[in-house]
Amino acid sequence: MKKDFLCLTDWTLEELEKIFDLSRELKAKQKQGEEHRLLQGQTLGMLFEKSSTRTRVSFEVGMYQLGGHALFLSSSSTQMGRGEPIKDTARVMSRYVDGIMIRTFSQAAVEELARLSDIPVINGLTDSYHPCQLMADLFTVIEHKTNYRDLTYCWIGDGNNMANSWINAAAVFGFELRIATPAGYEPDPQVMARAEKMGAKVIYTNDPLEAARGAQVLNTDVWASMGQEEEQKEREKAFANFQINGQVVAVADPECIVLHCLPAHRDEEITDEVIEGPHSVVFDEAENRLHVQKAIMASLMG
């Protein structure tokens, strides 16, 4: 039976840790120059309704390294952009390619695509979740820290798709998570309620210093995500104190690491000093999108 990668809570801890194990193996093979063509001759259809740098490049390069081929399909140049129903796209794509990665706005659209497709579907980002990024983030933590499930994680900024994904991760992996957002910018209440039912250890606050105190992993994202550009000025005021800077790093664990999914608006949500500083693992994190997504594709399509 086919399996999709739409949301972390659809997967068990054991299943996700197997993806980490495969990510480690594939990364080592690439670094050693060993071929790992696990998807020889297969094709991934990549549907984009949102712009992208890391998602497009990492999936496309990843398929090539796995021995397959990736097709970039933007909504502006396909029938999706002219209103073709998802149910038609799903059934046609299922007859052409071996897997689909979609980066779009609506989580409901991704779930409909997966339900109607005969092939695996990977969520490359929606307004609700960014599970591939979260897996790359955690894999980066695993590389830099031991016992990643015993650490305290801190999210500072918007209660956006990344915050929702961190809450899902806390529910699945069992680590402590602190979320600091301005009032009115909290994560999705349904995501919060589901995580609570699953026994997640999540603390919500409007004080970034309280959230960061003693934390081993600090994380943030832009104040205004794609589609929120008209709110930029309003958000700049609301988020003015929600920045990962020297003061925040100083109250965290002395050996803390700093994550950012990129692109970063330097000196807004994170200072240039921090992203270029000794605690930053941001570019290891960006590289790991490639290795983790290869493992996800190989697990679903192999």
Side-chain angles (χ1 to χ4, degrees):
M1 191 175 91
K2 74 122 174 174
K3 193 170 178 70
D4 306 297
F5 196 78
L6 309 184
C7 178
L8 291 178
T9 51
D10 297 336
W11 290 63
T12 66
L13 170 63
E14 292 74 21
E15 289 172 329
L16 294 175
E17 289 201 318
K18 285 181 181 178
I19 290 177
F20 290 144
D21 291 341
L22 183 55
S23 301
R24 189 178 298 109
E25 178 184 335
L26 295 179
K27 184 172 183 177
K29 286 182 181 293
Q30 187 199 353
K31 297 299 184 184
Q32 293 161 11
E34 296 181 24
E35 286 195 351
H36 43 284
R37 303 172 74 81
L38 303 181
L39 298 180
Q40 180 74 40
Q42 294 199 41
T43 302
L44 178 74
M46 304 190 304
L47 303 176
F48 284 86
E49 290 190 302
K50 284 192 173 189
S51 59
S52 167
T53 299
R54 278 151 292 277
T55 297
R56 177 180 177 179
V57 174
S58 55
F59 271 105
E60 196 162 329
V61 171
M63 271 303 287
Y64 171 77
Q65 292 178 353
L66 290 169
H69 179 68
L71 294 169
F72 172 74
L73 302 165
S74 71
S75 59
S76 62
S77 60
T78 63
Q79 297 300 332
M80 283 194 314
R82 300 179 64 236
E84 181 174 62
I86 289 175
K87 60 185 178 182
D88 293 352
T89 300
R91 286 181 287 189
V92 171
M93 292 285 285
S94 293
R95 298 184 182 209
Y96 289 156
V97 299
D98 302 287
I100 298 172
M101 187 283 298
I102 181 168
R103 182 178 172 93
T104 188
F105 295 89
S106 166
Q107 181 71 17
V110 173
E111 291 171 358
E112 182 181 2
L113 180 69
R115 187 173 67 253
L116 296 170
S117 297
D118 298 326
I119 54 177
V121 174
I122 299 170
N123 177 3
L125 175 142
T126 65
D127 287 346
S128 298
Y129 307 119
H130 199 353
C132 292
Q133 178 68 61
L134 201 288
M135 288 293 286
D137 292 357
L138 279 179
F139 183 65
T140 306
V141 176
I142 290 168
E143 290 186 320
H144 287 270
K145 298 284 187 183
T146 56
N147 302 321
Y148 77 102
R149 294 178 61 202
D150 297 330
L151 303 179
T152 299
Y153 293 73
C154 168
W155 174 267
I156 294 174
D158 191 19
N160 61 10
N161 52 4
M162 282 301 302
N164 291 338
S165 296
W166 274 106
I167 294 168
N168 286 340
V172 175
F173 292 99
F175 53 72
E176 180 179 321
L177 173 66
R178 303 173 191 162
I179 300 271
T181 69
Y185 293 92
E186 292 83 2
D188 185 327
Q190 291 184 332
V191 173
M192 296 161 69
R194 179 179 60 200
E196 184 178 356
K197 284 184 181 179
M198 293 176 69
K201 296 177 285 187
V202 184
I203 298 167
Y204 303 97
T205 179
N206 301 126
D207 183 346
L209 290 178
E210 177 186 346
R213 200 170 308 280
Q216 287 93 14
V217 182
L218 303 176
N219 200 355
T220 189
D221 192 7
V222 294
W223 292 338
S225 299
M226 282 179 284
Q228 299 173 332
E229 289 81 5
E230 73 283 355
E231 303 174 24
Q232 181 68 32
K233 295 300 180 184
E234 175 186 342
R235 283 172 170 265
E236 284 176 5
K237 295 177 183 177
F239 286 87
N241 296 321
F242 289 79
Q243 179 189 73
I244 295 186
N245 51 32
Q247 183 183 14
V248 169
V249 172
V251 302
D253 185 278
E255 302 298 321
C256 73
I257 59 174
V258 176
L259 302 171
H260 192 304
C261 60
L262 299 179
H265 292 178
R266 295 175 183 233
D267 296 323
E268 288 187 9
E269 75 278 358
I270 188 168
T271 60
D272 187 79
E273 176 188 23
V274 169
I275 205 170
E276 296 290 351
H279 296 279
S280 173
V281 295
V282 167
F283 295 100
D284 291 346
E285 173 190 7
E287 177 191 340
N288 282 333
R289 288 287 301 279
L290 172 66
H291 308 299
V292 169
Q293 287 162 188
K294 283 162 65 176
I296 292 170
M297 289 188 288
S299 297
L300 295 178
M301 300 166 61

